[in-house]
Amino acid sequence: MPLSVVILAAGQGKRMKSDLPKVLQPLAGRPLLGHVLDTAAGLEAAATHVVYGHGGEQVLEAFKGRDVHWALQAEQHGTGHAVMQAMPQVPDDHLVLVLYGDVPLVQLDTLARLVAAAGPDAVSLLSVMLPDPTGYGRIVRDGAGNVVRIVEHKDANAKERAIHESNTGLMCVPAAKLKGWLGSLKNDNAQGEYYLTDIVVMAVRSGCQVHAVVAPTVTEVLGVNDKVQLAELEAAYRKQRATALMLEGVTIVDPARFDARGPVSAGRDVHIDVNVVLEGSVKLGDRVRIGPNVVIRDSEIGDDVEIHANCVVDRAVVGARSIVGPFSRLRPDAKLHEDVHVGNFVEVKNSVLRAGAKANHLTYLGDATVGEKVNVGAGTITCNYDGVNKWRTEIGAGAFIGSGTMLVAPVKVGAGATIGAGSTITKDAPDEKLTLERSKQVTIDSWQRPPKK
Ligand code: UD1
Ligand code: MG
């Protein structure tokens, strides 16, 4: 049957004590709802609906451009009422998978099992065994073990409260029947809400099968209600990602001090020291070594690259065998070819450094093309901005730029040229020649240091 995913995301999240709506709170740098949408995308559903309410405009803005149908639940009258808001857009012959926008770590395999257990005459729900199920709905089974209903904690008697099998809230239900059941929900319960969970007893009465699929881990069904739980899930996510990479062969010196926040691909024998954060999509070649305190975002790092301590690499490409850092900053569109050295306090932005180029100390290379085997001396700056526009600097292969050089762009330094230290170069410097710009050094023989008063 075709699948429609319905994600409940209208809750306010009062306990977050934040101006940001709960489903926009970031986990590993992405909004909670983003995690759910990304995981659900793996199901290739016919449509995805998000029921939103609190912080509506902000939520729509954060996900604009996504292929999602939005259903507004202006007032929150319970999970059943929330699902109702999306149902007019769902065709009768679909299965409806209900997810929560604040349960971010649910796994694709689990969702696939839940969907597989549902059908035109079968409802499936995801349950979980909790050591302390206080607050959760309980799965009530009959003597034969069949699910008969779900009772909310607040409505449960002592015997029901002793049940450990709890409702995660995630379920999969045939749309036509769901529409009927939702229509007959009542709110005569402890919270005065329309409970989605009340459809279970209706399903049983109508002769529908109800299958409880037990979640393989507690973590993946945990919801986020406050910043403490948010940090707990962040830690769980961190551990998951580190474990997966270690099982692929990556050496992670301390998995508790390593964060992979987006997709990472890593070659063989990659070594990662402590306090490394990988964000966005990061590709690491074979034998890459990353030192402590390094942030890499949306970048590609070639084979045998060494990134020393305290570097920030953002939307850059680093060629094989290059050495970066310590204390280097590679900014967007920094492209280092093979065997490039970029050392301490060197910033590179929108620049190409061809094979074997070196800029080892205290340098800014912005909007520059640096040829093969160029040596950029300490304290060199490409003056790329005239206060209005940005201009390019081109340095030919094999050039030697003396220390403390200002290259005032637009400017070209020829291949094999040598620039004398301390020059401010405003005109193109020819190939193979020494060019320097420097006032004459003088010594004043008659000068005397004034006496101290
Ligand atoms: C719900 C379940 C309970 C389950 C628990 C798991 C019901 C009646 N109860 O309870 O059995 O054990 O989740 O966490 O379904 N939401 C809306 N609109 C609303 C109400 C809720 O969008 O009007 C959203 C919330 O933002 C949240 C989700 O639905 O993402 C669950 O709502 P919540 O209030 O946390 O439900 P619980 O009372 O915890
Ligand atoms: Mg809840």
Side-chain angles (χ1 to χ4, degrees), residues 330-406:
L330 303 184
R331 289 172 52 200
D333 298 312
K335 192 165 193 303
L336 278 47
H337 290 192
E338 304 78 49
D339 302 293
V340 167
H341 294 188
V342 169
N344 34 220
F345 307 107
V346 172
E347 174 180 350
V348 182
K349 182 216 80 173
N350 187 30
S351 293
V352 179
L353 276 68
R354 300 235 160 87
K358 289 186 182 140
N360 273 324
H361 330 267
L362 301 160
T363 285
Y364 175 57
L365 297 171
D367 306 306
T369 303
V370 179
E372 276 182 33
K373 297 205 170 145
V374 165
N375 193 312
V376 178
T380 296
I381 290 175
T382 53
C383 310
N384 60 326
Y385 185 48
D386 60 13
V388 184
N389 294 303
K390 302 269 170 73
W391 301 97
R392 289 202 73 84
T393 300
E394 283 177 39
I395 305 175
F400 177 93
I401 312 296
S403 297
T405 297
M406 301 294 119

Side-chain angles (χ1 to χ4, degrees), residues 230-260:
L230 187 61
E232 282 165 5
L233 286 199
E234 180 88 33
Y237 183 80
R238 175 182 305 123
K239 190 172 172 191
Q240 247 173 43
R241 295 300 312 277
T243 303
L245 284 166
M246 289 187 291
L247 291 175
E248 282 174 30
V250 176
T251 301
I252 297 176
V253 170
D254 182 2
R257 287 182 289 169
F258 166 74
D259 290 80

Side-chain angles (χ1 to χ4, degrees), residues 10 27 97 147 235 311 316-317 350 397 413 440:
L27 177 82
L97 175 65
V147 176
C311 291
V317 178
N350 187 30
V413 174
K440 232 189 182 106

Side-chain angles (χ1 to χ4, degrees), residues 7-13 15 22-23 51-53 73 75-83 99-103 130 133 135-138 150-154 166-171 191 193-198 221-223 225:
I7 303 175
L8 306 190
Q12 183 173 10
R15 282 174 282 167
K22 174 154 71 163
V23 289
V51 180
Y52 73 106
Q73 186 193 25
E75 284 176 42
Q76 281 75 58
H77 296 300
T79 49
H81 180 256
V83 174
L99 304 179
Y100 286 0
D102 58 359
V103 177
L130 294 177
Y136 283 79
R138 306 298 207 286
I150 297 176
V151 59
E152 289 306 296
H153 182 90
K154 285 185 180 152
S166 307
N167 178 33
T168 65
L170 279 51
M171 57 174 81
Q191 303 184 81
E193 288 185 354
Y194 297 93
Y195 290 166
L196 177 62
T197 44
D198 284 348
V221 298
L222 289 178
N225 295 303

Side-chain angles (χ1 to χ4, degrees), residues 6-292:
V6 174
I7 303 175
L8 306 190
Q12 183 173 10
K14 265 195 206 129
R15 282 174 282 167
M16 285 287 174
K17 308 219 164 114
S18 169
D19 294 333
L20 200 60
K22 174 154 71 163
V23 289
L24 294 188
Q25 298 286 334
L27 177 82
R30 266 186 299 155
L32 293 174
L33 178 57
H35 284 264
V36 181
L37 284 170
D38 290 347
T39 305
L43 294 168
E44 294 177 353
T48 302
H49 305 265
V50 177
V51 180
Y52 73 106
H54 276 282
E57 285 307 311
Q58 266 175 290
V59 176
L60 294 183
E61 178 64 23
F63 291 96
K64 70 166 188 274
R66 284 254 195 170
D67 185 15
V68 163
H69 304 271
W70 297 95
L72 177 66
Q73 186 193 25
E75 284 176 42
Q76 281 75 58
H77 296 300
T79 49
H81 180 256
V83 174
M84 273 181 228
Q85 311 311 308
M87 291 315 288
Q89 301 186 66
V90 177
D92 283 354
D93 62 337
H94 280 209
L95 279 177
V96 177
L97 175 65
V98 177
L99 304 179
Y100 286 0
D102 58 359
V103 177
L105 297 187
V106 68
Q107 300 292 300
L108 178 60
D109 285 357
T110 305
L111 297 183
R113 279 172 54 213
L114 194 60
V115 172
D121 297 302
V123 170
S124 61
L125 53 93
L126 189 67
S127 70
V128 62
M129 292 300 177
L130 294 177
D132 175 15
T134 308
Y136 283 79
R138 306 298 207 286
I139 311 292
V140 183
R141 293 176 184 261
D142 64 15
N146 300 308
V147 176
V148 289
R149 63 197 174 90
I150 297 176
V151 59
E152 289 306 296
H153 182 90
K154 285 185 180 152
D155 301 293
N157 60 36
K159 200 176 151 206
E160 289 160 342
R161 287 187 180 186
I163 299 171
H164 285 267
E165 189 179 2
S166 307
N167 178 33
T168 65
L170 279 51
M171 57 174 81
C172 192
V173 191
K177 294 203 156 102
L178 178 59
K179 286 178 184 176
W181 297 329
L182 288 172
S184 29
L185 284 183
K186 297 208 167 57
N187 65 350
D188 53 351
N189 51 50
Q191 303 184 81
E193 288 185 354
Y194 297 93
Y195 290 166
L196 177 62
T197 44
D198 284 348
I199 68 153
V200 171
V201 70
M202 300 180 191
V204 171
R205 281 194 199 126
S206 74
C208 235
Q209 298 169 17
V210 178
H211 303 291
V213 172
V214 182
T217 62
V218 174
T219 310
E220 69 171 281
V221 298
L222 289 178
V224 180
N225 295 303
D226 58 31
K227 297 286 170 75
V228 176
Q229 290 170 341
L230 187 61
E232 282 165 5
L233 286 199
E234 180 88 33
Y237 183 80
R238 175 182 305 123
K239 190 172 172 191
Q240 247 173 43
R241 295 300 312 277
T243 303
L245 284 166
M246 289 187 291
L247 291 175
E248 282 174 30
V250 176
T251 301
I252 297 176
V253 170
D254 182 2
R257 287 182 289 169
F258 166 74
D259 290 80
R261 295 178 178 164
V264 174
S265 82
R268 290 181 78 81
D269 294 305
V270 168
H271 188 279
I272 299 179
D273 213 324
V274 299
N275 294 330
V276 169
V277 179
L278 306 181
E279 290 183 338
S281 161
V282 173
K283 211 173 152 195
L284 305 172
D286 292 334
R287 298 169 300 279
V288 167
R289 296 181 69 84
I290 304 176

